[in-house]
Amino acid sequence: MPRLVMKFGGTSVANLDRIRRVAKRVGVEVAKGYEVIVVVSAMSGKTNELVGWVNETSPLFDAREYDAVVSSGENVTAGLLALVLQENGIEARSWQGWQVPVRTSSAHSTARIEEIPTDNFDDRFSKGMQVAVVAGFQGISPEGRITTLGRGGSDTTAVAFAAAFGAERCDIYTDVDGVYTTDPRVCEQARKLDRISFEEMLELASLGAKVLQTRSVELAMRYKVRLRVLSSFDEMSDDAGTLVCHEEDIMESNVVAGVAFVRDEAKMTLVSVADRPGVSAAIFDPLAEAGVNVDMIVQNIAEDGRTDMTFSLPVNQVARAETAVRDALERGEIEFHDLITDSNVAKVSVVGIGMRSHAGVASKMFRALSDVGINIRVITTSEIKISVLIDRKFMELAVQQLHEVFELEKA
Ligand code: ADP
Ligand code: ASP
Ligand code: MG
């Protein structure tokens, strides 16, 4: 029988009524003759609450216990959905990650899925199981401890199951009706895309569009999973939502496909570091060891053998980064005259595969921002994206302005 993976995010399972609606949707696919694997998130807000409890209990927490606590929200929704499906006369049961087992690396809180053995489910489906309800976001490490896959990780669970079980499609049900040119909550003009390429979706996700976890897009691209994003609140139809697919399957596309942003960024500058070989490594080694995710890096032109080094990082890692840099200074590994931190910046990016063959996107972007008085602090580019760091208070304005200037409301 054909197989389908259906994933429901936090808002879609926020209470019992919504879980009943989810069960109805699953029932429709079962009636069509699919063997269905459903992946669920925790009820909306639950994971944040659990993370908050861990931080409050133990600021320097044991990552294994963090995962034990934070993974629990998904267990509840998986069990509840299995119960409702059973009430509806469907053969269903719930599975926690370790029961499948979803084998992952040992990188607690950011684990990677390494293997999902299929024999267990294959056997159950052949004996009449109609739906397997899987708790998303979690797995088990080689050491036998519970792991989690990073925030938004249920998307990755869903795609990994679709790949492992050769599902006909992986449907990601969420609280918007597809992938938009930008977050529709920030820009009213945002337009829903019928299709988007894997490459563009990957960039948008890694630059902040949280509609899909980055890793889920990587997996779908690698294992050729038909990935669809759609609303769990609209009427069901076969062509609803957005299909994430290969570039060749898209007829026409704009030079810029979308705008993404990360609101809570910070910028640090080490003023007057020596300009000689080994200095960058001496700065970024201790930051990496402290687990700081450095993003953009710029080094100014040197004068008198000294230069300034600026980099961006998530705002909640500033304290850790400052400690790492100051400790390295005390150990005499680096020297600088001053450390300047700005915790009020945001990153805004434009993304599009059309940039490979079109010049002028960068200048258009910079002109558009200057037209509304926005100062650009840092710029980075790659083949299909341009990112800028700006003051956080201008983030919404920047997104709306770029959306308008690149005419993203038009197909
Ligand atoms: P779920 O709980 O279903 O996983 P998420 O909150 O993780 O849902 O992701 C959906 C949200 O992603 C939307 O509510 C929207 O605000 C946000 N989002 C950001 N960028 C985009 C985009 N380009 N298209 C659609 N949604 C986006
Ligand atoms: N519940 C987890 C989170 O909020 C995983 C997910 O919803 O995808 O990050
Ligand atoms: Mg999500």
Side-chain angles (χ1 to χ4, degrees):
M1 273 209 262
R3 288 182 178 162
L4 196 64
V5 172
M6 305 171 79
K7 180 256 168 178
F8 293 90
T11 1
S12 313
V13 292
N15 54 45
L16 287 182
D17 269 349
R18 292 199 181 160
I19 292 178
R20 289 192 190 99
R21 287 172 60 153
V22 164
K24 272 201 190 134
R25 277 181 189 265
V26 174
V28 171
E29 303 294 5
V30 171
K32 285 186 201 160
Y34 285 108
E35 289 172 349
V36 182
I37 297 171
V38 182
V39 174
V40 285
S41 288
M43 291 180 183
S44 62
K46 191 69 207 173
T47 311
N48 285 345
E49 183 183 45
L50 295 168
V51 170
W53 287 346
V54 172
N55 284 326
E56 204 180 314
T57 315
S58 167
L60 293 173
F61 50 74
D62 172 348
R64 294 163 298 191
E65 300 306 345
Y66 167 95
D67 278 351
V69 174
V70 165
S71 61
S72 64
E74 272 70 10
N75 299 342
V76 175
T77 41
L80 287 173
L81 178 58
L83 283 173
V84 178
L85 287 165
Q86 289 170 6
E87 287 289 316
N88 294 355
I90 291 173
E91 283 287 324
R93 69 155 273 194
S94 68
W95 302 78
Q96 297 181 8
W98 66 273
Q99 294 173 307
V100 176
V102 177
R103 295 191 206 285
T104 73
S105 66
S106 330
H108 283 278
S109 82
T110 53
R112 284 180 158 241
I113 296 180
E114 286 174 349
E115 194 203 353
I116 302 177
T118 54
D119 33 329
N120 202 346
F121 279 19
D122 285 344
D123 186 47
R124 304 268 177 156
F125 278 129
S126 74
K127 291 183 177 138
M129 176 172 76
Q130 292 172 296
V131 179
V133 186
V134 174
F137 180 51
Q138 49 171 270
I140 183 167
S141 72
E143 295 77 30
R145 301 296 302 259
I146 305 296
T147 51
T148 62
L149 310 178
R151 299 304 305 270
S154 296
D155 298 329
T156 301
T157 306
V159 174
F161 272 86
F165 287 90
E168 196 176 288
R169 221 175 45 237
C170 181
D171 285 341
I172 306 284
Y173 285 89
T174 184
D175 56 3
V176 282
D177 60 352
V179 177
Y180 279 69
T181 46
T182 192
D183 189 337
R185 295 182 207 285
V186 166
C187 177
E188 266 181 23
Q189 275 70 42
R191 174 173 54 88
K192 199 202 90 181
L193 300 163
D194 292 332
R195 290 176 177 227
I196 184 165
S197 69
F198 283 117
E199 291 86 346
E200 286 166 331
M201 191 63 240
L202 198 57
E203 286 286 350
L204 286 174
S206 68
L207 294 168
K210 71 165 183 165
V211 61
L212 286 173
Q213 198 196 33
T214 309
R215 181 85 185 121
S216 73
V217 187
E218 271 169 22
L219 283 183
M221 187 154 129
R222 165 134 39 107
Y223 294 103
K224 301 193 166 47
V225 171
R226 266 176 82 80
L227 182 61
R228 191 163 70 135
V229 177
L230 67 171
S231 164
S232 61
F233 300 99
D234 293 353
E235 288 296 309
M236 284 178 92
S237 86
D238 281 345
D239 57 359
T242 302
L243 190 68
V244 188
C245 57
H246 286 284
E247 207 180 317
E248 309 80 76
D249 299 326
I250 301 177
M251 303 293 262
E252 284 288 330
S253 63
N254 293 344
V255 177
V256 170
V259 182
F261 55 84
V262 182
R263 188 184 300 271
D264 296 315
E265 291 276 282
K267 173 168 75 75
M268 290 180 85
T269 302
L270 273 68
V271 180
S272 189
V273 298
D275 179 41
R276 57 177 152 71
V279 167
S280 299
I283 294 171
F284 293 106
D285 279 352
L287 287 167
E289 268 163 38
V292 175
N293 298 312
V294 171
D295 179 16
M296 305 160 119
I297 301 176
V298 279
Q299 186 187 325
N300 285 354
I301 288 226
E303 247 180 77
D304 306 327
R306 304 199 75 82
T307 179
D308 297 342
M309 183 80 83
T310 298
F311 56 90
S312 69
L313 68 167
V315 84
N316 60 8
Q317 296 181 0
V318 163
R320 219 185 305 164
E322 283 180 347
T323 307
V325 169
R326 291 201 192 281
D327 286 353
L329 177 72
E330 262 176 38
R331 290 194 302 268
E333 291 165 11
I334 54 174
E335 33 157 337
F336 54 86
H337 291 173
D338 201 2
L339 176 62
I340 303 172
T341 304
D342 181 351
S343 293
N344 291 306
V345 291
K347 181 168 76 166
V348 177
S349 312
V350 298
V351 170
I353 40 185
M355 280 186 218
R356 283 185 196 137
S357 49
H358 280 76
V361 176
S363 58
K364 192 167 173 177
M365 177 177 186
F366 305 152
R367 169 72 50 214
L369 294 174
S370 82
D371 283 348
V372 286
I374 298 176
N375 194 16
I376 300 170
R377 312 253 169 221
V378 178
I379 302 169
T380 54
T381 65
S382 75
E383 199 188 16
I384 66 163
K385 71 117 205 259
I386 303 163
S387 299
V388 295
L389 216 55
I390 58 171
D391 289 350
R392 188 173 304 134
K393 61 179 185 232
F394 295 130
M395 196 199 77
E396 279 84 1
L397 175 63
V399 170
Q400 289 153 9
Q401 168 77 350
L402 294 172
H403 199 275
E404 193 178 323
V405 164
F406 287 105
E407 301 185 342
L408 299 186
E409 74 288 356
K410 295 185 196 153

